[in-house]
Amino acid sequence: MTLDNTAIQRLAERVETAQTYATPIRKLTDDYPGMTVADAYRVQTALRRSYEARGQRVVGWKAGLTSRPKMLQMGVDKPGIGFLTDAMARPENSVISLGDMIHPRAECEIAFVMGAELSGQVSRDQVLAATDYIQPSVEIIDSRFTGFKFDLESVLADNSSSARFIAGGRPRRPGSIDLRTIGTVMELNGEIVALGASAEVLGHPADAVAMLVGVLHEMGEVLPAGSFVMSGAITAAVPVKSGDSLIARFLDMGSVSVRFGD
Ligand code: OOG
Ligand code: MG
């Protein structure tokens, strides 16, 4: 840690303003080159507390940069986490407004709904045992940094680009399906724009949840029962614009459809 509490608070306000007004900012490390990953999570925590103080509720967490296609796309080689609030949730088959985002991109992800609390260093099997069900999901990310360009510290402070998320499709019990071999096809306006398989996510998406629980532990937090957890994009993220329709198909798990508006 290199930044004092005043700097952390100031950076959280800078990020919150960029998120609220959809105005791009320089990456935080341009002004604070000594910023560490621990500092970045302190900014993220300050941001979370601020949203909670405004009445938003944390309903889950997301892992990000957990697949090679994502790491290559963003030029970052380590995964991270972010929080999800009720204000970010959108129903499937709805029209999602993009006017309040800067440069949104869509991702196909396997989501876990937790039946039991998890904390500390946990194994893949412990994650699966604590999972009530898994479900297809789509995440809409929106980096607050100019040109969608950042480093690990900046993106973590920006809550890992979290913007919106949609759960849908057919929920499955974790024991009823091989979580490594779920094929995904993303169609944008009827064209296939991204193809993948779930093993891209750290070899097994439950390992991304284990990573996330470990990071939470370092932040002094646990993953509560009932949490909605996204394990990270399987493929590179795809830019979306008003008027687009998106269908994310998941092998043996149905699909998630949304349309985008102004
Ligand atoms: C960071 C967030 C990455 C994922 O699923 O990999 C993410 C970014 O790429 O902007 O949500
Ligand atoms: Mg994501």
Side-chain angles (χ1 to χ4, degrees), residues 62-66 70 106-109 138-141 160-162 164 230-234 237:
K62 63 170 265 186
L65 302 165
T66 47
K70 275 294 304 185
E107 303 179 324
C108 285
E109 308 200 15
V138 167
E139 181 173 28
I140 310 301
I141 53 170
S160 295
S161 309
S162 299
R164 307 283 179 266
M230 303 184 78
S231 55
I234 293 165

Side-chain angles (χ1 to χ4, degrees), residues 27 34 56 76 84 98 103-104 144 147-148 152 245 254:
K27 60 185 197 318
Q56 294 188 21
V76 173
L84 301 174
L98 298 181
H103 34 209
R144 268 54 67 159
F148 223 116
L152 181 64
S245 16

Side-chain angles (χ1 to χ4, degrees), residues 2 10 41 46 84 103-104 120 170:
T2 61
R10 249 193 227 126
Y41 279 120
L84 301 174
H103 34 209
R170 179 149 84 95

Side-chain angles (χ1 to χ4, degrees), residues 131-145:
T131 301
D132 190 4
Y133 56 91
I134 58 162
Q135 188 175 17
S137 67
V138 167
E139 181 173 28
I140 310 301
I141 53 170
D142 187 30
S143 177
R144 268 54 67 159
F145 302 114

Side-chain angles (χ1 to χ4, degrees), residues 99-214:
D100 49 359
M101 285 182 242
I102 303 167
H103 34 209
R105 295 180 178 180
E107 303 179 324
C108 285
E109 308 200 15
I110 309 283
F112 291 65
V113 177
M114 308 313 298
E117 178 182 296
L118 281 175
S119 62
Q121 296 305 319
V122 295
S123 65
R124 178 188 300 180
D125 287 342
Q126 283 172 297
V127 169
L128 293 175
T131 301
D132 190 4
Y133 56 91
I134 58 162
Q135 188 175 17
S137 67
V138 167
E139 181 173 28
I140 310 301
I141 53 170
D142 187 30
S143 177
R144 268 54 67 159
F145 302 114
T146 305
F148 223 116
K149 288 206 172 65
F150 48 66
D151 45 28
L152 181 64
E153 292 77 14
S154 297
V155 69
L156 297 177
D158 183 27
N159 195 24
S160 295
S161 309
S162 299
R164 307 283 179 266
F165 66 92
I166 304 102
R170 179 149 84 95
R172 300 287 304 254
R173 294 269 178 216
S176 72
I177 191 163
D178 184 345
L179 273 174
R180 297 166 308 167
T181 57
I182 302 166
T184 60
V185 179
M186 195 192 285
E187 290 178 35
L188 192 64
N189 308 320
E191 301 249 352
I192 295 177
V193 289
L195 286 171
S198 52
E200 291 279 20
V201 176
L202 297 181
H204 191 299
D207 289 359
V209 180
M211 177 282 295
L212 181 146
V213 175

Side-chain angles (χ1 to χ4, degrees), residues 31 48 72 83 92 115 120 130 181 221:
D31 298 325
R48 173 160 51 97
L72 287 174
F83 60 87
E92 62 177 327
T181 57
E221 303 277 352

